[in-house]
Amino acid sequence: MRRFFAGLAALQMLAVVTQFFLAASGAFDPAPNDESFQPHRALGGAIVLIAVLVTVVAATARMPGRLIGTSGLVAGLAIAQFVIKGIATALDGTVGELVFGLHAVNGLAIVAAAGMIIRQARQLSRPATQLPTAATPARQAP
Protein backbone atom coordinates (compact mmCIF):
# COMPACT_ATOMS: atom_id res chain seq x y z
CA MET A 1 0.00 0.00 0.00
CA ARG A 2 2.92 2.35 0.70
CA ARG A 3 4.33 1.81 -2.78
CA PHE A 4 0.93 2.56 -4.26
CA PHE A 5 0.87 5.76 -2.21
CA ALA A 6 4.34 6.70 -3.50
CA GLY A 7 3.21 6.11 -7.08
CA LEU A 8 0.07 8.17 -6.54
CA ALA A 9 2.17 10.98 -5.05
CA ALA A 10 4.38 10.91 -8.16
CA LEU A 11 1.28 11.07 -10.36
CA GLN A 12 0.12 14.09 -8.36
CA MET A 13 3.44 15.87 -8.95
CA LEU A 14 3.31 15.04 -12.66
CA ALA A 15 -0.18 16.55 -12.85
CA VAL A 16 0.96 19.70 -11.03
CA VAL A 17 3.97 20.17 -13.34
CA THR A 18 1.69 19.62 -16.34
CA GLN A 19 -0.63 22.25 -14.88
CA PHE A 20 2.17 24.84 -14.99
CA PHE A 21 2.85 23.87 -18.60
CA LEU A 22 -0.81 24.30 -19.53
CA ALA A 23 -0.98 27.68 -17.77
CA ALA A 24 2.03 28.90 -19.72
CA SER A 25 0.60 27.53 -22.97
CA GLY A 26 -2.62 29.43 -22.38
CA ALA A 27 -0.86 32.63 -21.35
CA PHE A 28 1.54 32.63 -24.29
CA ASP A 29 -1.07 31.70 -26.88
CA PRO A 30 -0.86 34.20 -29.77
CA ALA A 31 -4.40 35.31 -28.95
CA PRO A 32 -5.05 34.21 -25.35
CA ASN A 33 -8.72 33.90 -24.54
CA ASP A 34 -10.92 31.96 -22.18
CA GLU A 35 -10.71 28.88 -24.41
CA SER A 36 -6.88 28.89 -24.20
CA PHE A 37 -7.09 28.06 -20.50
CA GLN A 38 -9.73 25.29 -20.76
CA PRO A 39 -7.17 22.43 -20.44
CA HIS A 40 -5.62 24.23 -17.45
CA ARG A 41 -9.02 24.49 -15.74
CA ALA A 42 -9.92 20.87 -16.48
CA LEU A 43 -6.66 19.56 -15.06
CA GLY A 44 -7.16 21.80 -12.02
CA GLY A 45 -10.31 19.90 -11.16
CA ALA A 46 -8.52 16.59 -11.66
CA ILE A 47 -5.71 17.74 -9.37
CA VAL A 48 -8.23 18.39 -6.59
CA LEU A 49 -9.55 14.84 -7.01
CA ILE A 50 -6.04 13.35 -7.09
CA ALA A 51 -5.08 15.31 -3.96
CA VAL A 52 -8.15 14.05 -2.10
CA LEU A 53 -7.35 10.49 -3.23
CA VAL A 54 -3.73 10.88 -2.06
CA THR A 55 -5.02 12.01 1.35
CA VAL A 56 -7.44 9.09 1.65
CA VAL A 57 -4.76 6.58 0.63
CA ALA A 58 -2.30 8.14 3.10
CA ALA A 59 -4.81 7.72 5.91
CA THR A 60 -5.75 4.20 4.81
CA ALA A 61 -2.09 3.16 4.61
CA ARG A 62 -1.57 4.55 8.11
CA MET A 63 1.12 6.95 7.05
CA PRO A 64 2.55 9.30 9.68
CA GLY A 65 0.16 12.07 10.70
CA ARG A 66 2.33 14.83 9.26
CA LEU A 67 2.30 13.13 5.85
CA ILE A 68 -1.48 12.76 5.96
CA GLY A 69 -1.74 16.42 6.91
CA THR A 70 0.56 17.52 4.09
CA SER A 71 -1.55 15.48 1.67
CA GLY A 72 -4.67 17.23 2.92
CA LEU A 73 -2.86 20.56 2.61
CA VAL A 74 -2.33 19.95 -1.12
CA ALA A 75 -6.06 19.27 -1.49
CA GLY A 76 -6.90 22.47 0.38
CA LEU A 77 -4.44 24.54 -1.64
CA ALA A 78 -5.83 23.11 -4.88
CA ILE A 79 -9.35 24.11 -3.85
CA ALA A 80 -8.02 27.55 -2.91
CA GLN A 81 -6.91 27.98 -6.53
CA PHE A 82 -10.57 28.11 -7.61
CA VAL A 83 -11.41 30.51 -4.76
CA ILE A 84 -8.54 32.83 -5.74
CA LYS A 85 -9.70 32.87 -9.34
CA GLY A 86 -13.26 33.62 -8.29
CA ILE A 87 -12.24 36.50 -6.05
CA ALA A 88 -9.87 37.91 -8.69
CA THR A 89 -12.60 37.76 -11.32
CA ALA A 90 -15.03 39.56 -9.00
CA LEU A 91 -12.46 42.31 -8.35
CA ASP A 92 -12.01 43.69 -11.83
CA GLY A 93 -9.04 45.84 -12.74
CA THR A 94 -5.68 46.20 -11.02
CA VAL A 95 -6.82 44.82 -7.68
CA GLY A 96 -8.19 41.71 -9.40
CA GLU A 97 -4.92 41.24 -11.28
CA LEU A 98 -2.94 41.52 -8.03
CA VAL A 99 -5.19 38.99 -6.30
CA PHE A 100 -4.89 36.70 -9.32
CA GLY A 101 -1.11 36.80 -8.86
CA LEU A 102 -1.72 34.78 -5.69
CA HIS A 103 -2.88 31.97 -7.98
CA ALA A 104 0.72 31.44 -9.17
CA VAL A 105 2.17 31.81 -5.66
CA ASN A 106 -0.32 29.25 -4.37
CA GLY A 107 0.66 26.97 -7.25
CA LEU A 108 4.28 27.12 -6.06
CA ALA A 109 3.12 26.17 -2.55
CA ILE A 110 1.36 23.15 -4.08
CA VAL A 111 4.59 22.12 -5.83
CA ALA A 112 6.53 22.43 -2.56
CA ALA A 113 4.02 20.39 -0.57
CA ALA A 114 3.74 17.73 -3.31
CA GLY A 115 7.54 17.48 -3.38
CA MET A 116 7.63 16.93 0.38
CA ILE A 117 5.03 14.19 0.02
CA ILE A 118 7.04 12.41 -2.68
CA ARG A 119 10.25 12.56 -0.67
CA GLN A 120 8.61 11.16 2.47
CA ALA A 121 6.61 8.55 0.54
CA ARG A 122 9.75 7.23 -1.13
CA GLN A 123 11.51 6.93 2.20
CA LEU A 124 8.59 5.07 3.72
CA SER A 125 8.07 2.74 0.75
CA ARG A 126 11.66 1.47 0.75
CA PRO A 127 12.17 -1.90 2.39
CA ALA A 128 13.63 -1.57 5.85
CA THR A 129 17.23 -2.67 6.13
CA GLN A 130 17.54 -5.63 8.38
CA LEU A 131 19.38 -5.03 11.59
CA PRO A 132 21.18 -7.92 13.26
CA THR A 133 19.04 -9.74 15.81
CA ALA A 134 19.69 -12.65 18.12
CA ALA A 135 18.50 -15.02 15.36
CA THR A 136 20.78 -13.46 12.72
CA PRO A 137 24.12 -12.55 14.29
CA ALA A 138 26.15 -9.72 12.76
CA ARG A 139 29.10 -10.65 10.56
CA GLN A 140 32.46 -10.25 12.17
CA ALA A 141 35.28 -8.71 10.15
CA PRO A 142 38.33 -11.03 9.88
Side-chain angles (χ1 to χ4, degrees), residues 46-120:
I47 287 173
V48 170
L49 295 176
I50 293 169
V52 169
L53 181 61
V54 167
T55 305
V56 169
V57 170
T60 304
R62 298 184 182 215
M63 294 293 193
R66 181 170 277 178
L67 186 54
I68 297 169
T70 306
S71 299
L73 175 65
V74 171
L77 290 172
I79 291 168
Q81 291 291 71
F82 291 97
V83 174
I84 291 168
K85 184 198 181 284
I87 292 171
T89 303
L91 300 171
D92 245 352
T94 305
V95 175
E97 291 173 8
L98 290 173
V99 170
F100 199 65
L102 295 174
H103 188 77
V105 173
N106 192 49
L108 292 175
I110 292 171
V111 169
M116 289 174 19
I117 292 169
I118 287 178
R119 188 172 47 252
Q120 292 173 5

Side-chain angles (χ1 to χ4, degrees), residues 1 17 29 55 83 85 104 136:
M1 185 67 133
V17 170
D29 188 286
T55 305
V83 174
K85 184 198 181 284
T136 57

Side-chain angles (χ1 to χ4, degrees), residues 19 37-47:
Q19 185 71 327
F37 290 97
Q38 187 56 37
H40 177 75
R41 275 193 296 282
L43 184 57
I47 287 173

